[in-house]
Amino acid sequence: MTIFSESDSRFMALAVEEAGRAASLGEVPVGAVVVRDGQVLALECNRQITLNDPSAHAEMLALRKAAQMLGNYRLPECELFVTLEPCTMCCGALIHARVKRLVFATTEPKAGAVISTIRALDNPSLNHSVLWQQGLMASDSAQLLREFFKTRRASKTERRPSQ
């Protein structure tokens, strides 16, 4: 059984709030928070559509903001809290940034690269290893995603011409 601290729960709750912000923007509801020594460095949500940027995942935006704040592309003492299992691109960024720890809420069966499709963070050939945990606030995060896609499917059905 994975044990999370009270501060882990607080940081993931912030990530869930960011995911809600993404949904309000019409983006897939994913939120991310970068923390160092108990201090929040960056809060971000998905904004690929808003920014017309395929790399504007919540994780990528949060890592960029934290790196700019610290004046260093390396984030060795940082932790990332994110509502959805990171994809291959985001796992690569975690490794390159030397992030210490990742906590993600729910899995992403189609594109998640921590455990769902590949185990990108567990590759012994890589020059950095990211500690990771899963499951904190998983039901809250999964519910946001279910509601978002249910609404999206319903709006597509409403727009279809009758036959």
Side-chain angles (χ1 to χ4, degrees), residues 3 8 12-13 21 26 29 35 37 42-44 47-48 53 59 63-64 74 78 86 92 128 130 136 138 147 149 157:
I3 298 176
D8 289 344
M12 188 59 80
R21 186 167 73 92
V35 176
D37 298 325
L43 295 160
E44 281 292 345
R47 290 190 286 145
Q48 296 100 301
D53 179 354
E59 302 97 305
L63 291 172
R64 284 181 194 140
R74 300 281 196 217
C78 293
H128 177 70
V130 178
L136 180 58
E147 288 173 9
F149 286 110
T157 303

Side-chain angles (χ1 to χ4, degrees), residues 23 26-30 46 49 84 108 110 141-157:
E27 301 274 1
V28 175
V30 178
N46 268 3
I49 298 166
L84 187 64
E108 210 304 21
K110 294 181 180 178
S141 298
Q143 183 62 30
L144 271 171
L145 289 159
R146 275 192 299 274
E147 288 173 9
F148 176 81
F149 286 110
K150 180 180 178 182
T151 301
R152 183 182 253 183
R153 283 188 300 273
S155 69
K156 283 183 179 178
T157 303

Side-chain angles (χ1 to χ4, degrees), residues 9-113:
S9 296
R10 190 171 66 251
F11 298 135
M12 188 59 80
L14 291 172
V16 170
E17 285 179 26
E18 284 296 303
R21 186 167 73 92
S24 72
L25 295 170
E27 301 274 1
V28 175
V30 178
V33 178
V34 176
V35 176
R36 184 178 75 173
D37 298 325
Q39 297 290 107
V40 174
L41 299 178
L43 295 160
E44 281 292 345
C45 67
N46 268 3
R47 290 190 286 145
Q48 296 100 301
I49 298 166
T50 306
L51 298 176
N52 295 310
D53 179 354
S55 71
H57 291 197
E59 302 97 305
M60 298 294 285
L61 295 173
L63 291 172
R64 284 181 194 140
K65 187 180 278 185
Q68 289 171 352
M69 180 176 227
L70 295 174
N72 192 343
Y73 72 104
R74 300 281 196 217
L75 304 170
E77 295 304 314
C78 293
E79 300 172 290
L80 177 70
F81 293 81
V82 63
T83 58
L84 187 64
E85 178 184 3
C87 70
T88 306
M89 172 183 68
C90 294
C91 284
L94 289 167
I95 293 163
H96 286 292
R98 307 293 194 268
V99 169
K100 178 181 178 179
R101 177 177 173 234
L102 163 70
V103 178
F104 66 93
T106 193
T107 57
E108 210 304 21
K110 294 181 180 178

